[in-house]
Amino acid sequence: MMTMAVYRVTPDGKKIVIREEHEVTPIKMIPLVDNWPPCRCPRHRLPGLAATTR
């Protein structure tokens, strides 16, 4: 088992807890989803998309 907590650090260094620490179970395989937009970097840009993304 692993534990996870979510917090935010303010500019003055204070830690604000968003979610308390709790146990989590790691997954064995990351599911493939298409919810993320395609990468827009020059290496991965789709052909013909270069002019429209600038």
Side-chain angles (χ1 to χ4, degrees):
M1 280 289 177
M2 303 175 18
T3 60
M4 176 188 270
V6 179
Y7 60 91
R8 181 175 68 111
V9 178
T10 62
D12 60 348
K14 294 179 184 174
K15 184 168 89 171
I16 300 172
V17 176
I18 307 296
R19 291 193 182 145
E20 295 288 335
E21 185 173 310
H22 62 279
E23 287 188 0
V24 294
T25 305
I27 58 175
K28 300 212 185 291
M29 189 167 147
I30 299 172
L32 297 176
V33 296
D34 58 359
N35 295 343
W36 297 99
C39 181
R40 293 171 60 178
C41 77
R43 189 171 122 197
H44 296 116
R45 190 173 292 152
L46 297 173
L49 193 63
T52 61
T53 58
R54 291 185 193 181

